[in-house]
Amino acid sequence: MKPLAALANGAWLAASLPAWQRFRHALANPAETQRRHLLRLLRANAATAYGRAWRFDEIGSDEQFRERVPLVDYDDLAPWIARIKHGERGVLTHGPVTRFVPTSGSSGARKLIPFTAVLQREFNAAIGPWMVDLARTNPACFRGPSYWSISPAIPADDATASAVPIGFDDDSAYLGGVRRRLVEAAMAVPAALRLVTEFEEFRYLTLLCLLRTRELRLVSVWHPSFLMLMLDALPACWDALLQDIERGGCRGAGSLPPEVRRALAAPPQPQRAAELRRLGPVAPTALWPAWRFVSCWGDGQAALALTELQARLPGVRGQAKGLLATEAFVTIPFQQRHPLAVTSHFFEFEDATGKLHLAHDLQAGETYSVIVTTAGGLWRYRLGDLVEVDGWVAATPSLRFLGRGAGVSDLCGEKLSESFVTTALQEAWSAVGGPSRFSMLAPEQTSPGPWRYALFIEGPAPTGFDEALDRSLRKNPHYALCRDLGQLGLLCCVNLRAQAYGTFCQILVSDGMRMGDIKPVALSTRLDWRERFEARSAVAEALQ
């Protein structure tokens, strides 16, 4: 056991107990909890420019709120956010906006999400119950160091044009204050690594820090493939890693930022290097014998990758994360389900007919798109995520993430959604064998010829997989009609080199996305994926 890490974890959990108690109590009465939270937000922000525009001071119920305040997308809020960016106060929130958090959708369009001190408290109202529940069911996770994946920093091109800082110093800043310092004290990988922007170097340094930490207990990443890519990279750099562990410090440290050099400074560990040399790089659970738990995405397309990850980590328990976006916490893992974060934000849900529902009105088995109101100034904001009610915790619905509602491709009237494509891929894999570690459907135009869809897949596709996927997609009558009319050609499979997910991430990072914002998708509407993957492949071959 690492005493300092265990002590820091214990203090963090103690600070989280009040939030856990409030959340546990609120689960029995989500309607009243949500009503009170909404009214607090309205009262606190009635004097803002947005509050005056929609007469917050006259709203006394959630019914009036829905009648008077419009549903919005990011484009609707962009003019208001621009005012904040130029230095105006009291626009969307009474309290000052301390940061803009940049995020991107799969199209690469950049969004700046306002972050405030009250929004930080809303996030802690979800993180606290999650961590306490995890500690109650898996106490060994908190008896030593943890790894919570961080993202390499990407400079904000227009940061100097904003009166409000853009971006966090590191992801632990979401916690704020003493919680942030406690978490950092228990981390196996220092937050300073965010300053390393070159992907391969960032991965090497992350592995170096992890291998130095024999007592690693808990790993939390976003997509399971991120962790698998880390583990896959071990053999190629194994000897170099062991040399750095044996002699201390890090090779090439002189070229790193001073903050990174200080964070990587470590004494020689010859015994640890000898142990690792004896074990070899192919059995992760032997390298970290105390590793007990991994938390990552496990819904939607990530479900297949999580299954593969768990097969590679015998003895390590897996947990599917809740639905967490840059804008809001929607659900948290709690009591073996994923209840709505009712003490964090105010939620509404839109069904397939366009009818709106509150949390206590949801029906089991039904699918909804999420609308959220937060203390960061997002008022009735369409989050773009589709969820399905899969049960209840007390009286609060438990939700399963299905996919992005905005991820719809409609070249010829086929109206393919990401959640539908995810299901079609799972059906096709079941029919012909698989799955692949990376697969993504995207449209492309053949020349000459009609539009078609290409499935970008790591490694060779099983024989007949294209026909099997086409049959599954034909369950969408719009797609079937377009195929029968010849508007869409038969889809094709494009075989990608190994570690395709890493290439996918590198492409999006080169477009300006942060690693932490990248989400693997079953369906992309971009038309240039073949060219982008081919270009990356050509660069890789030239460097060999």
Side-chain angles (χ1 to χ4, degrees):
M1 180 186 297
K2 291 285 187 178
L4 178 60
L7 182 63
N9 282 328
W12 181 26
L13 291 170
S16 300
L17 277 172
W20 171 75
Q21 292 170 335
R22 286 192 295 269
F23 183 73
R24 189 178 59 164
H25 177 75
L27 290 171
N29 194 349
E32 181 62 16
T33 300
Q34 287 280 277
R35 186 188 71 84
R36 290 179 178 177
H37 194 83
L38 174 63
L39 293 180
R40 283 196 299 270
L41 288 175
L42 291 171
R43 287 195 296 268
N45 295 281
T48 64
Y50 203 80
R52 293 194 304 272
W54 302 110
R55 297 179 296 170
F56 283 5
D57 60 332
E58 300 177 10
I59 298 176
S61 67
D62 53 74
E63 291 88 353
Q64 291 177 335
F65 180 62
R66 286 182 284 173
E67 289 171 1
R68 296 190 181 185
V69 181
L71 293 171
V72 297
D73 298 307
Y74 183 80
D75 289 345
D76 300 312
L77 291 180
W80 302 84
I81 291 173
R83 291 166 61 176
I84 302 171
K85 190 177 176 183
H86 293 141
E88 185 176 346
R89 287 180 165 244
V91 179
L92 292 171
T93 59
H94 172 71
V97 174
T98 57
R99 292 271 173 179
F100 281 126
V101 185
T103 186
S104 302
S106 59
S107 65
R110 187 180 184 190
K111 299 182 291 186
L112 294 177
I113 305 303
F115 197 83
T116 68
V118 184
L119 180 62
Q120 188 172 72
R121 291 197 290 272
E122 288 188 336
F123 272 68
N124 282 325
I127 296 171
W130 173 20
M131 290 299 101
V132 173
D133 184 73
L134 179 58
R136 285 165 58 86
T137 55
N138 298 273
C141 293
F142 294 89
R143 293 174 183 159
S146 302
Y147 171 53
W148 292 71
S149 64
I150 59 175
S151 303
I154 292 180
D157 294 337
D158 56 353
T160 56
S162 176
V164 176
I166 296 177
F168 276 132
D169 293 337
D170 62 82
D171 295 346
S172 65
Y174 278 107
L175 295 167
V178 66
R179 290 177 176 84
R180 177 182 182 180
R181 292 191 291 273
L182 290 171
V183 169
E184 289 175 348
M187 290 297 102
V189 177
L193 258 62
R194 73 192 183 277
L195 301 176
V196 180
T197 57
E198 201 282 314
F199 185 75
E200 294 298 330
E201 186 176 36
F202 170 81
R203 182 164 58 182
Y204 178 88
L205 296 175
T206 299
L207 288 171
L208 176 62
C209 293
L210 290 175
L211 288 173
R212 285 172 172 167
T213 310
R214 189 181 189 276
E215 289 291 317
L216 181 71
R217 298 298 183 103
L218 167 67
V219 170
S220 176
V221 296
W222 295 112
H223 194 268
S225 294
F226 177 84
L227 181 55
M228 287 192 284
L229 287 172
M230 285 282 180
L231 299 177
D232 289 343
L234 278 171
C237 54
W238 186 247
D239 290 338
L241 287 166
L242 295 190
Q243 290 174 16
D244 279 343
I245 293 169
E246 187 171 31
R247 69 187 183 186
C250 173
R251 66 186 56 217
S255 63
L256 297 173
E259 186 177 349
V260 178
R261 292 201 301 270
R262 289 193 295 270
L264 291 173
Q269 294 180 281
Q271 292 183 335
R272 175 62 172 160
E275 178 188 31
L276 293 171
R277 188 171 287 110
R278 175 177 55 83
L279 293 170
V282 295
T285 51
L287 304 179
W288 296 283
W291 189 2
R292 293 291 179 268
F293 203 84
V294 60
S295 173
C296 58
W297 285 331
D299 292 329
Q301 193 190 27
L304 295 173
L306 177 55
T307 300
E308 180 185 353
L309 177 63
Q310 289 182 297
R312 295 180 61 176
L313 301 174
V316 176
R317 293 191 59 186
Q319 179 192 69
K321 286 186 185 295
L323 175 52
L324 166 61
T326 301
E327 298 91 338
F329 246 108
V330 181
T331 66
I332 65 171
F334 195 85
Q335 296 182 6
Q336 308 303 313
R337 288 196 175 274
H338 292 86
L340 185 69
V342 289
T343 57
S344 293
H345 319 294
F346 179 75
F347 296 96
E348 301 168 71
F349 300 88
E350 187 174 19
D351 65 23
T353 69
K355 183 178 179 181
L356 296 177
H357 305 263
L358 298 181
H360 62 281
D361 296 326
L362 302 188
Q363 300 296 314
E366 294 298 317
T367 298
Y368 304 92
S369 60
V370 181
I371 299 163
V372 66
T373 292
T374 77
L378 303 184
W379 300 95
R380 306 198 73 203
Y381 180 82
R382 294 185 183 275
L383 200 56
D385 291 316
L386 292 177
V387 296
E388 179 184 55
V389 181
D390 64 3
W392 308 87
V393 179
T396 297
S398 172
L399 306 175
R400 181 171 69 92
F401 173 65
L402 297 179
R404 292 284 297 170
V408 176
S409 184
D410 192 20
L411 298 173
C412 311
E414 69 275 20
K415 296 181 174 63
L416 289 180
S417 70
E418 184 180 2
S419 57
F420 172 77
V421 170
T422 297
T423 301
L425 282 168
Q426 292 170 343
E427 290 177 354
W429 286 125
S430 298
V432 301
S436 169
R437 292 179 58 180
F438 176 85
S439 57
M440 177 182 69
L441 194 69
E444 65 175 13
Q445 188 172 28
T446 58
S447 182
W451 287 95
R452 68 179 178 185
Y453 282 86
L455 183 72
F456 296 89
I457 182 172
E458 180 174 317
T463 301
F465 184 77
D466 48 358
E467 292 88 354
L469 179 56
D470 188 65
R471 286 193 299 271
S472 294
L473 293 174
R474 279 179 173 271
K475 293 181 179 180
N476 176 332
H478 301 291
Y479 176 86
L481 179 62
C482 290
R483 285 280 291 112
D484 292 338
L485 293 176
Q487 293 174 294
L488 290 174
L490 177 65
L491 66 88
C492 67
C493 293
V494 181
N495 299 330
L496 303 175
R497 298 160 59 103
Q499 299 189 351
Y501 180 71
T503 305
F504 170 80
C505 292
Q506 290 172 1
I507 291 171
L508 294 183
V509 166
S510 69
D511 289 344
M513 291 184 69
R514 299 172 71 247
M515 277 293 298
D517 292 333
I518 295 175
K519 298 179 180 180
V521 292
L523 173 69
S524 172
T525 57
R526 284 179 59 157
L527 307 177
D528 61 346
W529 279 112
R530 184 185 290 266
E531 292 79 11
R532 300 299 295 274
F533 279 119
E534 288 177 349
R536 283 282 166 176
S537 178
V539 170
E541 291 176 357
L543 293 175
Q544 290 180 351

